[in-house]
Amino acid sequence: MSTTPGIPSRRGILFGTAAVSAGAFLTACTSNENSDPGGAKEPAAAAEDKPGKPVTIGFAGPQADHGWLNAINQNAKDRAKTYEDVTLEITEGSNDTAQQIGQIETLINKKVDVLVILPADGKALTQVGLKAMRAGIPVVNLDRVFASPQAYRCWIGGDNYGMGLNAGNYIGEQLKGKKNAKVVELAGLDNLELTRQRTQGFDDALKNYPNIKKVARQAAEFTVESGQAKMAQLLQAESSFDALWNHDDDQGVGAERAIKQAGRDEFLMVGGAGSKHAMDAIKAGDSVLKATVLYPPTMAASAIDLARALGQGKGVGGMAEQEIPASITLYSAVVTQDNVDQYLPTGFS
């Protein structure tokens, strides 16, 4: 099996960006036979690499109009291909909630075994998640959470608060020896809860560093164009500062353009999500971009692993429980020049 960027070369449930190998994570508790001389039964079988019961997984996500979202789709497709017993039914994806609901209802009518759903809007799609669950189709809710836990069997996603927290702590450590340090923030869409969580984590981290003050904030729209426009406004408003926390590496491309056009380099920049562009810049070490905080799209590969286990009635190896967890939160690692080579294979375009 060849290695695909973003997909570790051995199958296994992913936590953060590291895959736990099949031998370590998925092969524990693989028998229901009695091996205990006292007569106690072993836990239920866990999902493993070798082919098992065929499983048809329906995958529905939003439109892949962003580098991270495109990587989500690719991770799901690539992971499914590694399993001989998995058939993936994937929708075109849509940012229109009514259209995405229709796509999911089509998968329900096809009677897929398991659904993996990354909703364009978690609240708006809660009812269709409930519909699937009531139809006996377990749902793996990917990242943007439904409004009711009854709408999914398992949630897996990133840690938006942790993203901001780790970005703030990294910046804090870089500036802890500087008196009256100033930082600015280039956020994402303010009408999204994830943006508010990232800002809250960042603000909470800065409380640990009394020498640092956040002096400005602009909300962009996760696009190159908005990143450039809003960064230009920040640069114009602040004649000098020491660090920038940018929530998203896609909009960060625009931010970098504005920074270069303004001829500014007195500060360090921390990005978010973990794009290949950001990691390449970090490795080169010739720009203000010094780190990015991961929000790994490999979660989609993990969702396929979990859906397969659900479809086969298996648990997760390496854990004592007989069922897969109800929720899994990924870790937002900070990628710097010191560890960038470790994470480059997971960088998305």
Side-chain angles (χ1 to χ4, degrees):
M1 180 175 63
S2 62
T3 302
T4 304
I7 302 290
S9 61
R10 296 192 67 184
R11 294 191 289 267
I13 301 292
L14 303 179
F15 290 87
T17 55
V20 182
S21 72
F25 199 83
L26 295 177
T27 58
C29 307
T30 56
S31 173
N32 288 320
E33 296 178 0
N34 237 346
S35 61
D36 180 24
K41 290 184 178 180
E42 292 184 2
E48 54 189 1
D49 269 359
K50 66 183 181 181
K53 174 186 173 183
V55 178
T56 299
I57 300 172
F59 183 93
Q63 183 179 346
D65 55 1
H66 181 279
W68 185 86
L69 289 171
N70 183 65
I72 282 284
N73 288 347
Q74 197 60 50
N75 271 264
K77 292 175 184 176
D78 290 344
R79 188 55 134 215
K81 289 176 183 176
T82 68
Y83 291 121
E84 294 178 24
D85 50 22
V86 169
T87 299
L88 188 67
E89 294 273 354
I90 190 165
T91 68
E92 290 184 7
S94 176
N95 291 329
D96 180 271
T97 55
Q99 187 174 5
Q100 192 180 19
I101 288 169
Q103 293 171 344
I104 296 167
E105 288 179 334
T106 297
L107 293 172
I108 293 172
N109 292 334
K110 286 184 176 181
K111 297 182 179 180
V112 296
D113 297 306
V114 189
L115 272 169
V116 176
I117 303 173
L118 198 167
D121 183 319
K123 184 178 180 180
L125 269 75
T126 297
Q127 287 302 315
V128 78
L130 286 166
K131 182 176 181 179
M133 291 288 287
R134 289 166 180 164
I137 301 173
V139 174
V140 177
N141 181 192
L142 181 57
D143 198 44
R144 298 173 189 169
V145 68
F146 291 131
S148 169
Q150 295 184 66
Y152 58 90
R153 166 58 184 82
C154 176
W155 175 85
I156 179 170
D159 184 357
N160 288 292
Y161 178 86
M163 242 185 123
L165 189 72
N166 290 347
N169 282 328
Y170 173 80
I171 288 173
E173 288 302 302
Q174 304 307 304
L175 301 179
K176 64 182 180 181
K178 184 175 179 61
K179 187 177 181 180
N180 298 324
K182 297 188 293 184
V183 301
V184 299
E185 179 182 10
L186 184 63
L189 282 162
D190 266 342
N191 65 342
L192 296 178
E193 178 64 20
L194 65 89
T195 298
R196 295 191 289 271
Q197 290 171 346
R198 292 177 186 184
T199 291
Q200 187 63 57
F202 185 63
D203 290 346
D204 286 352
L206 293 184
K207 293 175 184 176
N208 298 320
Y209 303 93
N211 64 307
I212 300 174
K213 181 180 179 181
K214 186 168 76 172
V215 295
R217 180 184 186 275
Q218 284 283 351
E221 300 173 2
F222 293 130
T223 68
V224 174
E225 295 75 18
S226 66
Q228 184 170 355
K230 296 299 183 178
M231 190 68 227
Q233 292 178 25
L234 280 173
L235 291 166
Q236 187 173 13
E238 301 297 327
S239 59
S240 69
F241 51 89
D242 302 290
L244 160 68
W245 155 227
N246 163 54
H247 287 206
D248 176 72
D249 285 335
D250 271 25
Q251 71 183 24
V253 173
E256 290 174 78
R257 289 177 184 172
I259 292 165
K260 187 174 182 179
Q261 288 173 358
R264 300 277 291 272
D265 63 0
E266 80 279 3
F267 57 89
L268 66 92
M269 174 179 174
V270 176
S275 73
K276 185 178 184 301
H277 167 81
M279 292 193 198
D280 285 341
I282 290 165
K283 184 170 183 176
D286 57 2
S287 72
V288 296
L289 185 56
K290 303 302 180 185
T292 185
V293 186
L294 296 185
Y295 199 81
T298 49
M299 66 178 71
S302 302
I304 296 299
D305 291 333
L306 291 165
R308 176 176 178 260
L310 278 170
Q312 294 179 343
K314 303 290 182 70
V316 173
M319 298 183 70
E321 290 71 26
Q322 298 186 29
E323 302 286 346
I324 70 167
S327 65
I328 300 171
T329 303
L330 307 186
Y331 182 69
S332 293
V334 179
V335 179
T336 67
Q337 197 170 47
D338 292 336
N339 62 6
V340 66
D341 286 335
Q342 175 185 347
Y343 293 103
L344 260 174
T346 70
F348 59 88
S349 299

